[in-house]
Amino acid sequence: MYLRTTGFTPSFLEFYRWFVVVESSLTGYATPSQARLKSTKPCLLSLTQDPGVGVGDASASPTAALLLSILQESTGRIATILFADRLGTALEPECKMYRLAADVFNDAAMLLDCLSPALPRGPRVLLLSSSSVLRALCGVAAGSSKASLSAHFAKWGNLGELNAKDSSQETVISLMGMLAGSFVVSYVSSPMATWSWLILLLSIHLAMNRAAVRAVSMHTLNRQRANIVFSTFLDQDKVLTPKEASLQERIFEWDGVLRWRSSSPFAAANIGLSFRHLLASLAPAHEMTGSIRDGEAKVARLARLYRQEEFLIWYDAPQRVGHITLKEGAAAESQLKAWATVLWIAHRHAVARGAHATSAPFGPMLELHRTTLQELSSRWPRCVDRMRTAGWDLDIANLETKAGSRVRFEAEAANG
């Protein structure tokens, strides 16, 4: 049983139905099987966790329990602030990863709570504080990823209806889960049986959530999907659909790595860097004197090469890192083109000189930039048209996972 929201095309409803059938979010989507799992686990947890907070302990005091609660709340709130500040920008581009990570955090916190009674008071407090931190990380990741996924599903602007029906469904099925949990707990008496059921339910919970996340096909390009789609287009002149790209997508991926189709990572890239970072890679300062040799000349030649683009790129071959600096007002399509350009430059360099090249003179590298940019620019309009036809949303660029910056060239503004 699940509540179906109106306003979905048949092709879109296909994986939305699967997502609803198998996924159980901590703050939203639920299914009969997972809601029962989620409501049964607290019943099992009470059997193992209560002794850790003083239940059955004559020496426990209300003051100690209160201080422990305050410590847990404080560490959780601090972790929420730090996590949101550090990874807030990455939550939307990597919503699938953080949706599953939220469940990992939550289940890990449950295990720590269950282990706490077996430890002395000092380590027990540390363990319970750690579980509070994990729950805080779960709350931020689950809430943010749920918002992104809900907006993705509500294509006809029916976000309110979607959330209302999900909440109603969650409430009804949670009641069913509590009944099932009460039945299970009545037959579980030994610690071995309690841990066996708990590990089984946690394993099923994570497996079902992984299947749910794998079923989602996002229509926007983050770094990983951009690698998959652009490398396939440049290599085979084929544009993958969102469904086809999702089949090759990894749930957990290293941030910023460059892959050519399904290959191993051969380089990395950063987008939205300040001009200072680009300059440090283009013309490194001398270690002793701090002076920059031919820095202005190199910057001028690079700026002339990208004068008609809304970005600047420099690929640091020895470090195998591409640096992308966006100009002021850079559109989403320009950001995607910048990522495709640095991906192709890195791949061509790896093929021509090997993935472990230790030197790259400025002249030949700039020529590689020029030829790659020219060839990509000639194919880019057709690529954009075919990607839109395939169902990709190119008006949103989910490439920046950290707070980025923009640069403005006064000479371009004056000549423009």
Side-chain angles (χ1 to χ4, degrees):
M1 181 191 79
Y2 66 93
L3 301 177
R4 169 177 172 171
T5 58
T6 60
F8 290 94
T9 61
S11 61
F12 189 76
L13 183 60
E14 177 183 357
F15 68 83
Y16 174 72
R17 180 186 293 118
W18 173 244
F19 184 85
V20 174
V21 167
V22 299
E23 206 273 349
S24 174
S25 170
L26 296 171
T27 56
Y29 313 107
T31 64
S33 57
Q34 284 206 333
R36 293 190 186 100
L37 292 178
K38 192 171 65 176
S39 300
T40 303
K41 284 185 292 183
C43 300
L44 294 174
L45 284 173
S46 63
L47 298 178
T48 58
Q49 185 180 351
D50 286 347
V53 294
V55 177
D57 185 1
S59 63
S61 66
T63 302
L66 176 61
L67 292 177
L68 177 60
S69 177
I70 293 175
L71 177 62
Q72 288 184 277
E73 287 289 330
S74 300
T75 54
R77 292 174 188 272
I78 293 174
T80 299
I81 296 172
L82 296 178
F83 184 72
D85 178 70
R86 178 64 180 84
L87 297 174
T89 308
L91 291 174
E92 183 173 358
E94 304 296 339
C95 61
K96 294 174 64 175
M97 180 183 72
Y98 285 107
R99 174 74 281 280
L100 183 58
D103 292 294
V104 175
F105 292 150
N106 183 69
D107 290 354
M110 290 183 179
L111 290 176
L112 293 182
D113 287 339
C114 292
L115 290 172
S116 61
L119 300 178
R121 287 191 176 181
R124 183 190 307 167
V125 171
L126 181 61
L127 202 67
L128 292 176
S129 299
S130 300
S131 70
S132 180
V133 170
L134 289 174
R135 283 196 174 87
L137 301 185
C138 169
V140 176
S144 301
S145 59
K146 177 184 182 294
S148 300
L149 291 172
S150 297
H152 172 68
F153 288 136
K155 285 298 182 182
W156 286 15
N158 54 344
L159 183 59
E161 179 189 10
L162 180 72
N163 289 330
K165 291 186 175 181
D166 279 331
S167 298
S168 299
Q169 174 183 270
E170 174 78 6
T171 301
V172 172
I173 301 179
S174 292
L175 291 175
M176 298 171 59
M178 289 299 295
L179 294 177
S182 301
F183 176 78
V184 171
V185 169
S186 63
Y187 289 92
V188 175
S189 57
S190 65
M192 179 62 68
T194 301
W195 276 98
S196 299
W197 274 101
L198 183 63
I199 296 299
L200 175 63
L201 293 177
L202 291 179
S203 301
I204 296 175
H205 176 246
L206 291 178
M208 296 179 71
N209 274 280
R210 182 184 181 278
V213 171
R214 291 286 300 171
V216 178
S217 301
M218 303 297 292
H219 292 185
T220 57
L221 290 171
N222 62 0
R223 299 183 178 195
Q224 182 182 180
R225 289 189 287 273
N227 289 339
I228 296 171
V229 174
F230 290 141
S231 61
T232 302
F233 172 76
L234 296 172
D235 193 36
Q236 298 181 339
D237 196 30
K238 176 184 176 181
V239 174
L240 299 177
T241 63
K243 180 62 176 178
E244 292 172 336
S246 67
L247 297 177
Q248 303 181 33
E249 191 176 358
R250 294 171 171 84
I251 297 179
F252 293 98
E253 176 66 294
W254 296 104
D255 185 33
V257 299
L258 296 178
R259 297 179 187 266
W260 193 257
R261 301 182 65 189
S262 300
S263 68
S264 300
F266 61 91
N270 297 305
I271 188 170
L273 298 177
S274 64
F275 185 74
R276 181 177 60 183
H277 285 86
L278 182 71
L279 180 61
S281 174
L282 178 64
H286 193 274
E287 295 182 358
M288 298 295 294
T289 63
S291 61
I292 299 177
R293 180 179 179 182
D294 300 329
E296 293 185 3
K298 292 180 179 179
V299 170
R301 294 178 64 181
L302 189 67
R304 283 196 299 269
L305 176 61
Y306 290 100
R307 63 183 180 278
Q308 296 181 348
E309 306 294 340
E310 295 181 330
F311 54 84
L312 292 175
I313 293 175
W314 182 250
Y315 180 66
D316 188 346
Q319 299 295 326
R320 293 185 293 160
V321 177
H323 303 274
I324 303 174
T325 296
L326 300 174
K327 297 181 182 179
E328 189 177 39
E333 283 190 21
S334 296
Q335 298 180 38
L336 295 172
K337 183 179 180 181
W339 191 268
T341 303
V342 77
L343 173 65
W344 207 5
I345 291 173
H347 174 69
R348 285 182 159 185
H349 183 269
V351 171
R353 300 202 175 192
H356 302 284
T358 57
S359 63
F362 176 78
M365 180 56 67
L366 187 66
E367 180 63 19
L368 177 60
H369 280 239
R370 186 188 65 79
T371 56
T372 303
L373 180 62
Q374 287 181 350
E375 294 182 30
L376 181 63
S377 297
S378 64
R379 301 173 63 179
W380 185 250
R382 185 166 59 93
C383 176
V384 170
D385 293 339
R386 293 175 61 184
M387 289 179 65
R388 292 188 183 277
T389 303
W392 291 104
D393 184 1
L394 303 184
D395 296 326
I396 300 176
N398 283 329
L399 299 176
E400 293 183 87
T401 57
K402 299 179 181 178
S405 60
R406 301 293 185 269
V407 298
R408 179 174 59 182
F409 289 88
E410 296 296 339
E412 291 185 1
N415 296 334

